[in-house]
């Protein structure tokens, strides 16, 4: 088979299985490990597949997100590891935007030692938690309430964010990949995220490795539009290397249980 035929066969096999290991593809296609890895890299560059540790899967088209309650306890150790990485980007006496989401919700409890902070958020749960912080200035940006995600969304919320000067914006995502950047299945989230990026001196994408290779209908920004992308240790090393080669500044949190960076 010529390379294009082999890659189409690889896609056919993935459509049947969902996820396949490199070893399984070697046997199915009758080629070397190196050839399979080259084919995966080629298809991933086209945005058609996504690497997973030891193998590959089809890119997921994300049409909706689980509600906040369902997400809150999922991959909690990884979320806390990313949160520890994120809080190191926040200094005292800064104005910080915390986007809605359960990963960024893990940042809030880590801010108690900071002083002089002003925190802006559209996340209702984060706002309630930080309302107990005695030395923190807190702004919740109003707008239409997305009950399932416990946040405010839409142009009214974005307009409030644009009135601010932010030092740091931490932006969440439900889906991200090399070709399409950060995306979302919900149109009303896009203007809020973009507004925070526009008025922030530095913006960071906070992106769990389990969300890599998913694609939402609405585009937020290219990965290179962020000062850095923060993720967990589950991102395949080949993906991380390719992102860095493409100009993405990637910060990977230590594995859960490992000491944080100094």
């Amino acid at each position: 088979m010529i390379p294009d035929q082999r890659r189409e066969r690889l896609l056919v096999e993935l459509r049947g299985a969902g996820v396949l290991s490199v070893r399984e593809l070697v046997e199915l296609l009758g080629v070397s490990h190196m050839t399979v890895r080259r084919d995966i890299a080629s298809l991933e560059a086209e945005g058609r597949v996504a690497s997973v540790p030891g193998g590959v899967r089809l890119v997921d088209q994300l049409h909706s997100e689980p509600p906040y309650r369902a997400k809150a306890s999922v991959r909690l150790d990884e979320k806390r590891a990313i949160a520890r990485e994120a809080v190191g980007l926040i200094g005292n006496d800064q104005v910080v935007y915390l986007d809605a989401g359960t990963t960024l919700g893990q940042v809030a409890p880590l801010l108690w030692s900071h002083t002089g902070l002003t925190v802006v958020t559209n996340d209702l749960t984060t706002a309630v938690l930080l309302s107990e912080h005695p030395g923190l200035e807190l702004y919740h940006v109003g707008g239409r309430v997305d009950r399932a995600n416990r946040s405010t969304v839409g142009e009214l919320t974005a307009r409030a964010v644009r009135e601010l000067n932010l030092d740091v914006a931490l932006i969440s995502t439900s889906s991200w990949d090399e070709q399409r950047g950060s995306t979302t299945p919900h149109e009303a989230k896009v203007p809020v995220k973009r507004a925070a990026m526009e008025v922030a001196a530095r913006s960071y994408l906070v992106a769990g490795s389990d969300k890599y290779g998913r694609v939402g209908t609405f585009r937020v920004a290219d990965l290179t539009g962020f000062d850095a992308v923060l993720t967990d240790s589950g991102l395949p090393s080949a993906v991380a290397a390719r992102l860095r080669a493409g100009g993405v500044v990637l910060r990977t949190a230590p594995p859960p249980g490992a000491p944080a960076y100094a």
Side-chain angles (χ1 to χ4, degrees), residues 12-258:
V12 168
E13 296 292 348
L14 277 177
R15 290 185 191 109
V19 180
L20 287 168
S21 70
V22 172
R23 179 177 296 178
E24 287 171 324
L25 285 169
V26 166
E27 294 175 359
L28 287 168
L29 301 176
V31 294
S32 68
H33 278 74
M34 188 64 69
T35 298
V36 166
R37 292 189 183 280
R38 279 199 300 266
D39 286 345
I40 290 172
S42 177
L43 290 169
E44 194 161 19
E46 296 173 9
R48 304 176 76 182
V49 302
S51 293
V52 297
V56 65
R57 64 173 170 80
L58 288 173
V59 165
D60 294 335
Q61 186 69 35
L62 191 66
H63 298 289
S64 64
E65 297 177 51
Y68 191 101
R69 187 185 301 274
K71 296 184 292 186
S73 59
V74 175
R75 291 174 57 86
L76 196 53
D77 288 342
E78 287 81 2
K79 290 175 180 178
R80 286 171 174 163
I82 296 174
R84 288 192 294 270
E85 184 75 10
V87 81
L89 301 170
I90 300 171
N92 294 327
D93 304 307
Q94 289 189 331
V95 182
V96 178
Y97 179 77
L98 297 182
D99 199 10
T102 56
T103 300
L104 285 175
Q106 294 299 320
V107 173
L110 304 179
L111 294 177
W112 251 248
S113 60
H114 284 65
T115 59
L117 273 187
T118 297
V119 174
V120 181
T121 186
N122 67 327
D123 189 289
L124 298 169
T125 302
T126 296
V128 170
L129 177 62
L130 289 179
S131 67
E132 302 294 327
H133 192 308
L136 177 145
E137 197 73 27
L138 177 64
Y139 289 85
H140 183 271
V141 284
R144 180 170 68 84
V145 174
D146 178 347
R147 290 182 175 85
N149 286 291
R150 298 184 186 177
S151 64
T152 50
V153 296
E155 187 53 42
L156 187 61
T157 306
R159 207 178 307 158
V161 173
R162 291 192 193 100
E163 295 298 318
L164 301 164
N165 288 312
L166 305 172
D167 294 300
V168 176
L170 299 178
I171 308 297
S172 62
T173 188
S174 59
S175 44
W176 63 295
D177 78 353
E178 181 181 2
Q179 296 299 316
R180 299 172 181 87
S182 173
T183 57
T184 174
H186 299 298
E187 184 180 5
K189 291 186 176 185
V190 175
V192 183
K193 295 175 188 293
R194 287 184 179 173
M197 293 176 68
E198 289 166 11
V199 299
R202 292 176 289 128
S203 60
Y204 301 95
L205 183 67
V206 178
S209 65
D210 59 316
K211 298 169 184 175
Y212 183 82
R214 295 179 179 176
V215 178
T217 304
F218 302 98
R219 179 180 170 277
V220 176
D222 291 336
L223 299 183
T224 52
F226 297 92
D227 288 273
V229 176
L230 277 60
T231 191
D232 58 75
S233 59
L235 191 70
S237 58
V239 173
R242 196 166 57 250
L243 290 174
R244 290 186 172 111
V248 178
V249 179
L250 193 66
R251 296 177 64 115
T252 303

